[in-house]
Amino acid sequence: MRQQIAAANWKMNLTLDQATHLLDEILKAPHDLQAHQKVVFAVPFPYLLLAQDKISGKLNFFTAAQNCYTKSSGAYTGETSAEMLQSIGVEYVVLGHSERREYFGESNAMLEEKAGMALTYGLTPIFCCGEALQVRESGAQNDYVEKQLKESLFNLSEEQIQKMVIAYEPIWAIGTGKTATAAQAQEMHAHLRNVLARQYGDTVAGEVPILYGGSVKGSNAKELFAQPDVDGGLVGGASLIAADFGQIIDALK
Ligand code: PEP
C-alpha cells in the first residue's frame, strides 16, 4: 500500500524551548495511524537530535533534514552531508524546496546530485517541485514541473525512484494562504504520476508518494488528502501550531 505522509517543514523557525514545547504538544495527542501512515518532522539542523529523541519508540514518526550537500565530506564550511544525517539516524531529507531554489540558487542539476547523495546514504528524499504564479497563469505548469522531475530524477534507477517521495508545491500557494483547490492538486499529481509511469512503468509510479504543499491547514487537509493521487502534505506554517498539525495528521486517509 502506498505510504501517506504528513510532513512538517518548520523552515528557520523556533528557539530550542519553543521546538521542545511544540514537539511535546504534538506527540502527546493520540493519533490512530496505520502502518502506511507516517509523520515526518523536518526541523532545523540544531533540533534534529532533540526530535530524534522525542520520537524514539514511536513507530510512525520520523525526522527529516531540510537540506543536505552534494558531497559526502570535505572543505565545505557550513554544509551538512547526507552521511552525517544518516549517522544520527535521520531518515528523510527535503530537497529542492522552492525557497532553496530561489534564495540559494539550487538548480535541477544540483538537486540531481543531492538526491543521489541522499539515496547513497539511505535517506529518503522528499523532492519538491512546483511552478511560480506566472507559469500557472500561462498554462505551462505541467511541462514546467515535468522538466523539474526529468532533470533531477530520471537518471535514478527503478529501485532508487521507489525510495523517493515527491512534494508538489505550487510556489503561489506557499505561505500565501492561497491553497490550490483539491481539483488542481489532483490534476497535477495525476500528471506527475503519469510522467513517472512513462519512465518507470505503472507499478513503480503507483508506489511513489506524492505530497501536496502550499497553505495546507487543519481545515483543508481532509479534502486535499481525499484526492486519489494526493498522499499527504508537506506543511509549513500550520506545522508550527500543534492543534493544526494534529488535525492534518488525522486527515491522512
Ligand atoms: C512549505 O514550506 O513547504 C509550505 C508548503 O509552506 P506553507 O504550508 O506555509 O504554505
Side-chain angles (χ1 to χ4, degrees):
M1 183 172 245
R2 193 157 70 222
Q3 288 178 21
Q4 296 167 344
I5 300 171
N9 177 15
W10 287 7
K11 312 192 188 198
M12 194 179 73
N13 288 301
L14 308 181
T15 62
L16 179 61
D17 281 352
Q18 291 166 335
T20 307
H21 181 70
L22 180 58
L23 285 168
D24 286 340
E25 286 295 300
I26 294 169
L27 293 169
K28 80 177 182 202
H31 296 289
D32 192 16
L33 296 171
Q34 300 171 43
H36 67 289
Q37 297 173 326
K38 296 181 171 176
V39 179
V40 176
F41 293 104
V43 303
F45 288 113
Y47 309 147
L48 278 167
L49 284 174
L50 165 78
Q52 289 283 111
D53 185 50
K54 295 279 180 196
I55 62 167
S56 90
K58 293 185 183 291
L59 282 186
N60 305 71
F61 291 78
F62 301 87
T63 56
Q66 296 176 14
N67 183 27
C68 70
Y69 195 48
T70 53
K71 306 279 189 288
S72 56
S73 65
Y76 304 103
T77 303
E79 291 298 329
T80 302
S81 73
E83 187 178 17
M84 291 171 184
L85 296 171
Q86 181 196 45
S87 75
I88 63 164
V90 168
E91 263 132 336
Y92 290 82
V93 59
V94 177
L95 293 180
H97 191 283
S98 62
E99 289 150 16
R100 298 236 32 111
R101 291 176 186 264
E102 184 181 348
Y103 306 138
F104 302 96
E106 296 199 358
S107 63
N108 291 342
M110 187 187 288
L111 292 167
E112 177 178 33
E113 284 186 70
K114 290 191 176 195
M117 194 55 77
L119 289 164
T120 299
Y121 289 102
L123 302 175
T124 298
I126 301 177
F127 177 83
C128 303
C129 57
E131 80 287 355
L133 185 60
Q134 70 271 25
V135 176
R136 164 86 34 183
E137 284 175 346
S138 73
Q141 67 271 14
N142 284 8
D143 290 346
Y144 184 89
V145 178
E146 181 169 342
K147 188 167 184 279
Q148 290 181 316
L149 244 62
K150 281 186 172 160
E151 292 187 358
S152 297
L153 304 184
F154 277 16
N155 285 324
L156 295 176
S157 68
E158 203 175 290
E159 197 191 326
Q160 287 175 315
I161 200 92
Q162 284 176 59
K163 295 190 178 129
M164 299 287 307
V165 173
I166 289 171
Y168 168 59
E169 300 207 305
I171 297 169
W172 46 271
I174 297 178
T176 58
K178 190 171 181 226
T179 319
T181 63
Q184 283 173 323
Q186 169 55 27
E187 191 190 1
M188 179 59 85
H189 285 222
H191 171 63
L192 292 175
R193 210 176 294 288
N194 269 330
V195 170
L196 289 172
R198 267 186 264 132
Q199 181 75 6
Y200 294 100
D202 286 340
T203 310
V204 171
E207 281 167 14
V208 177
I210 307 179
L211 315 184
Y212 168 78
S215 299
V216 176
K217 299 185 270 288
S219 55
N220 59 23
K222 224 179 173 51
E223 191 191 357
L224 286 160
F225 297 176
Q227 303 305 307
D229 288 294
V230 178
D231 306 309
L234 178 57
V235 186
S239 74
L240 298 170
I241 303 161
D244 230 5
F245 193 60
Q247 261 185 294
I248 292 165
I249 295 172
D250 291 336
L252 292 172
K253 303 179 271 263

